[in-house]
Amino acid sequence: MPENTWWKRGIVYQIYPRSFQDSNGDGIGDLEGIRRRLDHLAWLGVDAVWLSPFYPSPMADFGYDVADYCGVDPIFGSLGDFDRLVGEVHGRGLKLIVDFVPNHTSDQHEWFKESRSSRGSPKRDWYIWRDPAPGGGLPNNWNSNFGGPGWTFDAATGQYYYHAFLKEQPDLNWRNPQVRAAMHDVLRFWLRRGVDGFRVDVIWHLMKDEGFRDNPVNPAYQADQPDINRTLQIHSTDQPEVHGIIAGMRRVLEEFDDRVLIGEIYLPLDRLVTYYGENLTGAHLPFNFQLIHMAWRAQDIAALVEEYEGAIPPGGWPNWVLGNHDQARIAVRVGAAQARVAAMLLLTLRGTPTMYYGDELGISRVEIPPDAVQDPWERNEPGLGLGRDPQRTPMQWDGSPNAGFTTGRPWLPLTPDHGTRNVAMMQEDPSSILNLYRRLIQLRRRHLALSVGDYVGAHADGQVFAYERRFGTERLLVALNFGHAAQAVPLPEGVAGARVLLSTHASGEPAIHGQELALRPDEGVVLALS
């Protein structure tokens, strides 16, 4: 039953380790820093912590170029630090999810060093090597997601290797059973250390077209778009064979009790839901990023929810994400007032919500001076606004000069308002967005209708989206005003009365006049119906 499954009823909180808490003054967050800040997560009320990569890495892509899958980079600490963190996470009744980056390694990984040593290397086929095209040049037209071609020539062996991202991130060949076996052993290594699940990076990339056919040209491409949009990634991603690979990972997790497999997938809904797998043998939670890219309009969001609810296979469990380390923060996309409405949306829709660190503070855009840019994508394709640094800035804990994040120089700048937009000050302000998040989480815990109940669409008109959550005899109505003017919302037929459980507004309550709710501008409300 959903109410007995932690990853269905719970709330996931993503931490970008470089930016959560520095414990040694080098300006970069670490595992010990995360351990020291677990009280914040317990106070907030989340159920699981998801850590972005902390593995040994040259940091060409800040840890997504893994040089050793079974270790901890010294920047972040040691395996001993990791084990202590696992123990304290579990000691607080929380779960721990870690990133798994199986599509590519660092070019400094021992596997790749051996693979590129010669064409006869036993690990040559662990990566994707191709001869030049007839007459010379690239094997095909596949682009890198970070700009430029997806192929780099290795002069020593006379072949190209494929990299969907940076040239320092060569793609593994998942058609090779030795690669699959080695990566399954990586999963077991961390499962035995007590992790409760994995978020699998770019899971839809793992298999490529066996014939390496060119991707079709994108007729909608424009010059102000990134290179990756020049073609449609029909042959370089989302291949039918990927589902067998994911099912294999799922079987490894099922060797252990009560674990979760989450897949990062940026695909349209009709393709996304196939990653639940045949007979639900795929990812438990194929990440649903649709809210990140959807226009922030009531009717569009309502249509999205209805489409998603209808597309999930029987027995599949939904999930929702508002932001992560790759996407602009929600307060940037919708503004401060609507960020509060977004919080209510995220924490009251049916399915597992994933929060991103700092969103509970309403952190907005941080301007990164050119000389402080860290993101390789921004460096490769400057001027297109692709940089991910603004959503990776340090967590803001208090009003001290570096917001309590570090005693050194932060690796990225803080927001200009960090003196007031921080945990210490906002905890003391009952009207803050931080306390709104906490109250929403508490409300979700108290009401099974919100955590595991059914979803019933109720109303989508103008600037208002309203829906019911039901469990047993309990009926709750969530009404969200996406506009900046007051809106009237009809209550469902047959409702004798309604009681306000929570409003996103800092003071007062919305008025209920007979069968109509009067929402104030930029207000979300949860009502108990009777």
Side-chain angles (χ1 to χ4, degrees), residues 5-10 12 47-50 95-100 187 191 194-200 203 246 249-250 252-263 276 282-287 317-319 352 354:
T5 306
W6 67 266
W7 53 264
K8 289 184 176 181
R9 68 173 187 271
V12 178
D47 300 273
V49 184
W50 155 32
K95 303 290 187 179
L96 185 66
I97 299 166
V98 299
D99 249 34
F100 179 48
L187 293 174
L191 289 163
V195 306
D196 299 289
F198 299 91
R199 174 267 193 188
V200 185
I203 201 171
I246 299 169
M249 293 182 191
R250 174 77 173 262
V252 172
L253 267 69
E254 289 172 350
E255 296 171 12
F256 300 78
D257 292 334
D258 209 17
R259 305 301 205 268
V260 66
L261 186 69
I262 303 170
Y276 285 99
H284 295 100
L285 299 175
F287 254 156
W317 189 252
N319 70 93
T352 303
T354 297

Side-chain angles (χ1 to χ4, degrees), residues 9-13 40-48 94 343-348 353-356 359-360 433-448 450-451 501-502 526:
R9 68 173 187 271
I11 298 163
V12 178
Y13 184 99
H40 172 67
L41 305 184
W43 174 86
L44 193 60
V46 299
D47 300 273
L94 304 173
M344 181 169 281
L345 176 72
L346 176 70
L347 293 167
T348 59
T354 297
M355 293 173 55
Y356 184 51
D359 280 353
E360 73 268 34
I433 189 172
L434 174 60
N435 274 302
L436 172 63
Y437 265 98
R438 186 170 188 244
R439 289 195 299 272
L440 280 164
I441 292 169
Q442 290 172 339
L443 190 70
R444 185 182 175 91
R445 283 188 181 280
R446 288 197 302 269
H447 296 274
L448 285 174
L450 289 179
S451 59
L501 297 180
L502 184 62
V526 180

Side-chain angles (χ1 to χ4, degrees), residues 159-170:
Q159 286 187 313
Y160 286 88
Y161 66 86
Y162 177 64
H163 49 91
F165 296 89
L166 297 175
K167 64 181 177 60
E168 295 87 355
Q169 295 170 288

